[in-house]
Amino acid sequence: MEELLQEPTLVQSLAVSMAQSSDYMSLSPSFQRGLYSSWIKQNIRKKECCFFVEDERGFCKCGYPRIHHVEDAFKPDEFVGETWDRHKHMREVPTDAFGDISFGGLGQKLGKYVRVSTDTSTDDLYQLMIDHWKLHPPNLLISVTGGAQNFYMKTRLKEMFRRGLIKVAQTTGAWILTGGTHTGVMKHVGQAVRDYALSSSCTENQIVAIGVATWGIVLNRQVLVNPEGCFPAYYSLDEKSQGRLSCLDDNHSHFLLVDDGTHGRYGVEIELRSKLEKLISELPLGNRANGVKIPVVCVVLDGGPGTLDTIYNAMLNGTPCVILEGSGRLADVIANVAELPVSRVTVALINQLMSKFFGQEFKELKVIEWTKKIQDIIRTPQLLTVFRIDEEGQNDVDVAILQALLKASRNNNSQGRENWEQQLELAVAWNRVDIAKSEIFTEESQWQSGELHEAMLSALVGHKPDFVKLLLENGVCLREFLREDTLCELYTHLQPGCLFLRRLAKRMRGERGRRGQSNLSVRRKVSLHHVSDEVQHYLGSFTTPLYPPAPARPRIEMPKDDIQVTLPNKGPAELQNIPSIQSGRGTGGAWDPERDLFLWAILQNSKELAEIAWEQCRDGMCAALAASKILKKMAHEEDEDDEVDKMQELANHYENQAIGVFSECYRQDEQRAQKLLIRISSSWGRTTCLRLALEADNKTLWLMQEFRCVRTQICISDLWHNHEHGFKGLLTQIWYGELAEDNPHWKMMLCMLFVPLIYTGLLSFRRDEEILRETHRKEKMLTVETVTGCSFASHIQDYMECTELQPLTCTSRLVSFFSSPQVKFYWNIVSYFGFLWLFGYVLMMDFQAKPSWKEYLLYGWLISLVCEEIRQLFDDPDGYGFQRKSKMYISDLWNILDVLSILLFIIGLVCRLTTTVFYAGKVILCIDYIVFCLRLMAIFTISKTLGPKIIIVRRMMKDMFFFMFLLSIWVVAYGVAKQGILIHNEQRLDWIIRGVVYEPYLIIFGNVPTNIDNVEFDMSTCSVNGTDPLKPKCPVLNADAKPAFPEWLTIILLCVYLLFANILLLNLLIAIFNFTFQEVQDNTDSIWKFQRYELIKEYHSRPAPPPPFIFLSHLYLFIKRVVLRRPPQRHKQFKDELRQVEEEEMLSWEAFMKENYLAVTRRDWSQSMEHRIQDTADKVGVMVELLEGEQDRENVTLARRMAHLEEQVSQSTKALQWIIEALKSQGYQSKEEPPVMSSGKAMERDKSQSKKKSVKKEIGFHINARRLQYPDSTVTRFPVPEEKVPWEVEFTCYNPQTYNAKKTPSVPEQTEGTDIDLDKYRNPQGRTGLRGRGMLNHLGPNQILDPIITRYEGRCALEFLAVWDKKEGVWAIPGGPVHSEEVLPQRLEAILGRKLHEQVKAKLEGQAEINKVHHGYVDDHRNTDNAWVETTAFNIHLDRRGLLMADINRMAENSKDSDERVQWQEVSSRTLVCAYQREVLRTVAELHGRPF
């Protein structure tokens, strides 16, 4: 039991669970069954009769024939002469019936079953269901009970019951517990499960319906018997021949077949079922220790005497019951008296209702017993809910069930805010937002953020987005909720199967291996820095860690088989002093709870939770782009195709969200929108939106550069495409540098040729425009101040003067001009043309054996180009790392051409300087010149018209390359066939290649050969034996020196070849080119924008001087970086770190724009045709249900009125008859009394309801003393209804038994006496149903003392010393029985210890007057007719600063782990105590003047 009640600190790690499951699944099915069978045989028993006593039918008293008994049962020596007793003459043996059961047919027809003894441990049963049947622990247990025989139920009630039962089970993850047979209420449950199974396509969320049936009444149970288990057992329903037995229902999923060793005896399973329900109700709800237990509810339809016992026992265990009125028999009896006061529920009324609904008469004792039980049932209205189909405002059955549970929780001993929090935990566990809205989050309720944190955590862990949204709407503050320990717990509860969880486990194992830790002895520890490392892996190395490491931080422990959280052993106050991510910005980033929640949801690919968290993020656009980057990276690593598709879909969704937010921002303010792109986000690793957009998918980026898939565009292209002016304005600003954007090109070129023109004002600079705008702004402010007389403009002007922009100096203008990327680009174009002109001049006109000065200049020029390529390779201002930078460099085609051209030039130069291969060197350099010219095409990427055409050429070259493979098949095929037919044994390789490849290739372009036709054959053009190396070999000749080959065949082959090569393949190539052209042309704008961005980025970081003068810049960089070791300069234009005030303003503005975008999105969705159709369909469905319900209510009301009318007519007839008789008689007297006009049942109900509201609470008799089951014994009291309690009321059939328990040695003996002596002692409160002393020490009053030790805690809180009563589950006053001379009870000494007991006794004796607060009768469950408990309660108030108080506090602290836990509790109605002690504490509160 203790193992079951232990709360696991973490959800099982997927990495470990997968390892365990893989080991388990690797075992063969037969071996698995062997393990299962072994466990069953060791833990599960059945019962069999061990004493055969034959009855008049020839059967044993147990109901089984002789053949079902073992040999020892016929001659048992130990039982000779005894009367057969089913409790004594049964023994337990290993069960012989378990395994799988198959019913066949449609629906849910395969289940599991086991035969168990009535004495089987419920712990073993629960372990069987969880560990071996693989059931998930329930969030709710629905125990359905009622009529075991088939009964009629109205169609609408039946439909509502089935629909509501399945809905509550499906939405809450509940278990349904029934009797398991194919009759009565169990059949209705089975049909509901069947309908759901047939209509639901999901196999993972099937309903768990557990049937707890009696083994001895199951028909055809012999097919289930196999000592080794049946896998499966084939069970068939045979309703026609079942007789007194019953068939198992084929729609239940699991069966517990309870065996007491008898045959044909119903109700055997009730006790074990009740114990199982009680066990489950004591287990914690969910996977966290939140103090909430699994709720259990009993649903009653129809029913008989056994059902009444079930309801009674359920309510004694605190289980709420839902009664369906109209289902028949017992359910209708209880429904008719449920709203009456207990005093009006008399034996006569119950007898009348029993006769009406059961249609038969019952014995008086049975009616009395039923009356007593029904009175006890309706005495706890918080546990009783009656569902009436005709009642106004009545909801579905599922709502009634959940409301009953909340009502029971709301009215239990736990009151106040804690009770509401438990109800909220239940609603979260059930995932019923509708219940939470209607029952918990009402207009009257006021919630603090801290009170909702547990529910918020449960909703997040359970992945219930609707509840998360509801809690945020009702006051949850993420900054208060998402503390570091909470975030740790969230990461421990990642979804099973999550890729991120597997990577965390892998990183953890790697770290443990590096530390050399043992796999078995050392637990692996994971903290937020592990999460940070994995997130950085997904975001990219260019980001900083989101969570800096902290040594004193709470850690997540991951043992071999699970992951657990270990928190420092500190109190709440100390935990708040732990360094955490909330302390602001650290080395890794800023504390951003909205970001943390969004990241947690994204990492497990939870779309709904991520959407809710993203709406809370202030940095929405950066968060969306980061999510897209992470999801695409995760999709690349994920193995499951379904998860990959979901990740890609979610990544695309957040790309669109980023586009939408940016579009909304740009519409409002262009300058701010551009700042958003390059603003450094401290929440996302100090990166920018622009960088995240580019890094969204590196693979896609490379594909974009190669354009293997033009349709796949990265996010920056989409952003740019949707708002061209946004990105275009930003990049244009970077492209011009400090120059104004309105400068014409001819002015810039003119200034490049004549530099002094820069100082003439020919070119305008951006600084000049900004100064001009500031001047106009100052003039406007001065005008406003002059007109209005306000002084705020002066303060603003003073601030602006402090930050006034200064005009550019001559040096600044010169530097700004030459550092402009556009000017750099123009100079490099001019330089490259000059290089090509010089290279061509040297190759054509000045290529001497000894290089000239022009050639040496060419070599120097090339060296400057080589230095620039080296700089581009090693320059890493963005922090990519050399490895990734190298990959990015090689992936660019233009860089490949640069490297190829440089390598060819070096090879050609080496050959050129060598005399033997001088000419070969020139040839290589000439080829290299072609490569350099091809590199010239890169300058056209800046052109919107020509840039995409370069991509078209590259794509077509690739298409043509693959096309050549297809063409080569036809060329080689035709060439070999032609060569083999015409030429015999050609030995010259060059002429073979010429005939096989070259000539067929030329045929495609119209060069038709002449050697395949005899008409044009000429012997002078060939060599007969192939001796002439300049002529081809002649074809095979005949005797007339004419070609002998078949002319018709060669011509046909040529025609077929031309048909396929020239017409089919060439047209196919044209079609491919056309497709490529159209594909690129459709994306021209995006292609050009991306190329322009890359070009601007390149020239922004490029040194200002063009080659060969760029060598000076390289020398300067070498000295600065290598010699002086100064850090590289970052690209400031692509990153902008705002001041804190400006960043807060920017984030607030972005959040406002995001809200506008979301509002527009929701409005568009609400106005869409799809939403309107769905909304109309929902409204029509609701209207149909309302009309049907209204019609049924009208029918019921009409029937009730007709019945009332018939009753009134009958009464009127009697009244008229009485009048006639009165007139006929003399003296105007009648033979009978006048009839009393009845008001009808309907009016009675209305009157009773109004009476309950107006009449004060009745003073009842003792209740606990009349409980049917006497405590700690098997004794049952005689049922005493409410009306029969007083001794003055006649109760002729009252015949209670006498019970006297054994006394403890410390209690003095007392003569028990005869019945006459017992009558001397009469319980002053009336009958109890039991005579004798019972468990008490004496006949008559048994005195106990209840010392109430109090203190003040704080300023006004009054507390008392309480002991936890584990049996009753309440706090109790440390009192007990005393002898006449004792001042304090001995129990107090056992609790406090002798020393403290003596000190308290001395303080009590030192008081002048004892503060008695109560003296009198105690409604104790041990009371009998002749012995009862009386108490004297007195108050001992202690000074909180005294030594005695300090000793008691230490004792209470040390008692936490003991059996009797002592603790100070508040004197309040919220404290869990028994009824009479609650009243005593109320008096104590009044004595001290404190509210209760």
Side-chain angles (χ1 to χ4, degrees), residues 380-400:
T380 54
Q382 72 274 11
L383 299 178
L384 182 64
T385 300
V386 179
F387 178 82
R388 295 185 171 91
I389 192 174
D390 59 315
E391 188 172 313
E392 291 289 341
Q394 188 65 265
N395 297 305
D396 291 335
V397 175
D398 64 306
V399 178

Side-chain angles (χ1 to χ4, degrees), residues 562-623:
D562 65 351
I563 307 175
Q564 296 183 350
V565 174
T566 300
L567 296 177
N569 188 16
K570 298 182 180 181
E574 293 173 320
L575 284 176
Q576 294 184 6
N577 297 326
I578 297 176
S580 67
I581 55 178
Q582 302 154 9
S583 58
R585 298 189 180 188
T587 59
W591 173 57
D592 190 345
E594 294 84 3
R595 181 272 318 269
D596 295 334
L597 183 60
F598 176 65
L599 180 63
W600 174 80
I602 285 295
L603 290 173
Q604 53 187 337
N605 198 23
S606 179
K607 181 177 181 180
E608 294 81 4
L609 289 177
E611 191 65 22
I612 295 173
W614 183 73
E615 292 179 3
Q616 304 297 317
C617 291
R618 299 176 66 196
D619 198 355
M621 192 166 73
C622 198

